[in-house]
Amino acid sequence: MTETHATAAVPMKWVGPLRISGNVATTEAQVPLATYETPLWPSVGRGAKVSRLAERGIVATLVDERMTRSVLVEATDAGTALAAARIIEARIDELRDVVRTCSRFAELIGIRHEINANLLFLRFEFSTGDASGHNMATLASDALLGHLLQTVPGISYGSISGNYCTDKKATAINGILGRGKNVVTELLVPRDVVEGVLHTTAARVVQLNLRKNLLGTLLAGGVRSANAHYANMLLAFYLATGQDAANIVEGSQGVTMAEDRDGDLYFACTLPNLIVGTVGNGKGLPFVETNLTRLGCRAERVPGENARRLAVLAAATVLCGELSLLAAQTNPGELMRAHVQLERDNTTAKVGA
């Protein structure tokens, strides 16, 4: 049987521009969204319009960045595991040198551990330049694991991945410690824009966010997460920019906040696990190269800066879609009417083509 390769085409549109400021970028930029959920385009577009009507736009703050990989080693008993953990953490400078031998861009920035019975889980944290860093972190962790097995007494091989990372799974540890880029986006929407563009009030958005995102998610047993649909915007953005789409599992963990400030609406989205990169697997496709260039993420910058720009653009896109959806859901019937109309319009357009 001959193996063939094909491309799965997903409809894509550019939306915006979004207005962004903050500690990474101050810009107005359109963003590409690849999705079958076509109402997402005008929804994010409405949020983008709001961002341009706010004085500072969306203020995106990059709080932290790190890629992680956990390894598992077996000790003779818990006491030996603890002794090994203390030795390993005391030798972090030596381990940083080990990492530098296998990568130009990976840098070991932290080690955390957990002991369960006689098993020692080690969570290595790396900076990875402009790459999202999955393979870079695994390669570095493999070198570290080999070094530790040779130099630390009382431990033996368990696994190169111990699920304490945690990759592509919704866990508390990623929300607490972070994996990828941790970005907070904030938008202060004037009262007249809330009423004229979003067709609602700050008080109604705040009440819905409390009841739906915070209380509803609590009752459902959500893990470090309280939002309406971060995954929608992230998947569309990830597919358009060559990211590993499975990372929306942890990427969509995050918390939406809303406050009524004398009729103005303060709206914020915190995303602690945005895993994006501008180099690596998936970035060599022509349409991805075009999109990254148009986003301004192919410029000559210090390593890591292009990926940071991409992360704040992704996070701002999430805020636009989240704000628009919550505003729609404050009004009875608006969400369904919009979906029916927009999807009918898109179907008619395709038939006419």
Side-chain angles (χ1 to χ4, degrees), residues 96-230:
R96 284 177 174 146
D97 290 336
V98 172
V99 171
R100 293 184 185 115
T101 66
C102 59
S103 173
R104 287 186 300 151
F105 298 105
E107 184 76 21
L108 180 64
I109 57 177
I111 304 172
R112 300 176 188 270
H113 76 269
E114 179 112 0
I115 296 170
N116 190 289
N118 65 321
L119 301 178
L120 173 59
F121 294 81
L122 295 166
R123 191 175 196 260
F124 298 123
E125 302 172 343
F126 305 93
S127 61
T128 56
D130 279 313
S132 61
H134 294 94
N135 293 337
M136 198 182 296
T138 302
L139 177 65
S141 295
D142 192 56
L144 288 170
L145 180 56
H147 179 77
L148 293 175
L149 292 175
Q150 291 178 357
T151 59
V152 177
I155 60 172
S156 59
Y157 179 82
S159 175
I160 184 57
S161 179
N163 259 15
Y164 193 62
C165 317
T166 295
D167 188 31
K168 299 165 186 171
K169 289 167 279 290
T171 62
I173 194 169
N174 282 352
I176 296 168
L177 300 181
R179 189 171 194 263
K181 306 285 194 292
N182 183 327
V183 181
V184 177
T185 54
E186 303 168 282
L187 181 63
L188 185 61
V189 188
R191 177 200 296 259
D192 63 322
V193 177
V194 176
E195 296 174 353
V197 179
L198 296 174
H199 311 300
T200 188
T201 66
R204 282 154 59 192
V205 173
V206 169
Q207 183 185 66
L208 179 63
N209 185 60
L210 174 63
R211 292 176 173 180
K212 169 190 169 73
N213 283 347
L214 301 178
L215 181 57
T217 305
L218 172 68
L219 295 175
V223 179
R224 294 285 303 185
S225 195
N227 66 75
H229 72 145
Y230 287 10

Side-chain angles (χ1 to χ4, degrees), residues 262-316:
D262 295 325
D264 296 341
L265 173 64
Y266 169 81
F267 195 82
C269 297
T270 298
L271 296 95
N273 306 315
L274 267 179
I275 299 174
V276 297
T278 57
V279 298
N281 289 342
K283 311 309 181 295
L285 298 172
F287 83 91
V288 172
E289 185 68 29
T290 297
N291 290 350
L292 290 175
T293 299
R294 186 168 167 181
L295 286 168
C297 296
R298 276 286 179 261
E300 290 293 329
R301 295 189 175 99
V302 173
E305 286 297 319
N306 280 327
R308 294 180 192 114
R309 178 183 175 89
L310 190 65
V312 298
L313 287 169

Side-chain angles (χ1 to χ4, degrees), residues 39 328 331-345:
N331 297 314
E334 180 181 331
L335 178 66
M336 200 62 248
R337 284 195 304 272
H339 267 260
V340 170
Q341 183 60 50
L342 291 167
E343 288 173 354
R344 182 181 293 125
D345 289 347

